[in-house]
Amino acid sequence: MVKRRVRGSTTGRPIMALLDLLGRRWVLRLVWELREEPRRFRELQDAIGASPTIVNARLADLREAKLVELDPESGYRLTALGGELLRLFLPLHVWSEKWAKATT
């Protein structure tokens, strides 16, 4: 069981809490935008095209989940856990490129 529930998650089971978090609009996009280097708030907002309120809320969710941290000098960046999560998505990224070619 998850010690602290993810806001909005009701089961307490780790996989369900993670899926609840990742299912929130813009969360996956923020993780993806942080894949290469830290980015400042405004850069992230411009990259995903969401309102400042939404970006702030999603970053707060990711920080609370220990996937993102704020470095005052460089901006938001993935934590070690966030980087590990991102690496799990890379095979899906490779597959999506094949899928895109097959469907065009």
Side-chain angles (χ1 to χ4, degrees):
M1 293 296 228
V2 175
K3 292 177 187 168
R4 288 183 21 208
R5 289 189 176 173
V6 172
R7 184 179 52 82
S9 180
T10 59
T11 68
R13 287 180 276 159
I15 188 65
M16 297 311 298
L18 178 64
L19 292 174
D20 288 344
L21 174 64
L22 297 179
R24 293 184 189 143
R25 189 166 186 186
W26 304 115
V27 166
L28 286 172
R29 180 67 186 271
L30 285 167
V31 170
W32 188 252
E33 292 298 332
L34 292 169
R35 72 190 178 281
E36 293 175 356
E37 62 188 4
R39 298 182 79 172
R40 299 216 176 272
F41 182 90
R42 185 68 179 182
E43 291 176 285
L44 289 168
Q45 182 189 351
D46 291 346
I48 69 173
S51 74
T53 303
I54 293 294
V55 175
N56 191 47
R58 295 305 175 258
L59 286 170
D61 293 341
L62 288 166
R63 289 176 70 190
E64 184 177 336
K66 308 286 191 232
L67 299 176
V68 169
E69 62 190 4
L70 175 59
D71 179 308
E73 294 182 19
S74 62
Y76 291 92
R77 64 180 177 205
L78 295 175
T79 63
L81 275 175
E84 188 175 344
L85 176 65
L86 177 67
R87 287 188 292 282
L88 294 172
F89 285 122
L90 293 180
L92 187 58
H93 171 64
V94 170
W95 181 87
S96 72
E97 294 292 331
K98 291 177 189 176
W99 174 64
K101 288 177 185 173
T103 59
T104 57

